[in-house]
């Protein structure tokens, strides 16, 4: 699992990097070592309510994408991780149910 982190309009600190890597460890059970995870953190200063922080996560080759907006980076990361986890879990469940349905089809055809 390769993690690429990009920070726009802000500096990427070691604490933020370690937090992202720690939170993304949850996804290791769904991913292969050659999969790429792209994380982009954006600080938006031009919003009428003040500063906003965007966190975007994209996983390739699965094509899974999620984003979150919050008042700081840590909150945005905490909001985006469950979205990605849910998408990965849903995809895995679909594969398993399809495999079971096809297995039942072949089992019935042999009888």
């Amino acid at each position: 699992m390769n993690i690429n982190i990009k920070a726009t309009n802000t500096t990427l600190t070691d604490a933020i990097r370690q937090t992202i890597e720690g939170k993304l460890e949850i996804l290791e059970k769904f991913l292969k070592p050659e999969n790429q995870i792209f994380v982009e953190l954006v600080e938006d200063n031009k919003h009428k309510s003040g500063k906003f922080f965007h966190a975007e996560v994209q996983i390739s080759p699965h094509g899974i994408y999620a984003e979150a907006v919050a008042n700081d980076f840590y909150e945005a990361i905490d909001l985006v991780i469950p979205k990605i986890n849910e998408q990965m879990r849903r995809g895995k469940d679909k594969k398993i149910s399809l495999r079971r349905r096809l297995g039942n089809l072949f089992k019935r055809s042999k009888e």
Side-chain angles (χ1 to χ4, degrees):
M1 170 169 86
N2 299 325
I3 302 173
N4 296 329
I5 303 172
K6 177 184 173 187
T8 306
N9 296 334
T10 187
T11 57
L12 183 64
T13 62
D14 288 334
I16 294 174
R17 179 180 297 275
Q18 290 174 356
T19 301
I20 291 171
E21 290 173 354
K23 299 276 183 178
L24 290 176
E25 286 178 0
I26 297 169
L27 304 176
E28 283 185 358
K29 59 185 173 186
F30 299 115
L31 300 174
K32 296 178 182 175
E34 63 269 6
N35 289 353
Q36 294 277 336
I37 299 177
F38 299 100
V39 179
E40 184 172 0
L41 303 172
V42 180
E43 181 179 345
D44 187 11
N45 294 328
K46 299 191 184 337
H47 198 273
K48 65 180 180 180
S49 300
K51 288 186 179 180
F52 274 98
F53 299 91
H54 300 269
E56 300 176 0
V57 177
Q58 178 183 3
I59 299 176
S60 65
H62 296 285
I64 294 175
Y65 174 82
E67 65 179 339
V69 178
N71 294 325
D72 68 348
F73 283 128
Y74 297 103
E75 186 179 353
I77 292 166
D78 288 340
L79 291 174
V80 79
I81 294 298
K83 292 178 183 180
I84 290 289
N85 194 17
E86 177 67 23
Q87 290 181 29
M88 296 293 288
R89 189 182 55 77
R90 208 175 326 132
K92 184 177 178 182
D93 289 345
K94 281 183 180 180
K95 282 182 184 178
I96 290 172
S97 65
L98 180 64
R99 187 180 317 138
R100 287 179 181 162
R101 265 188 285 153
L102 288 175
N104 285 338
L105 256 169
F106 287 125
K107 188 175 183 180
R108 288 182 190 158
S109 66
K110 289 182 179 180
E111 293 175 353

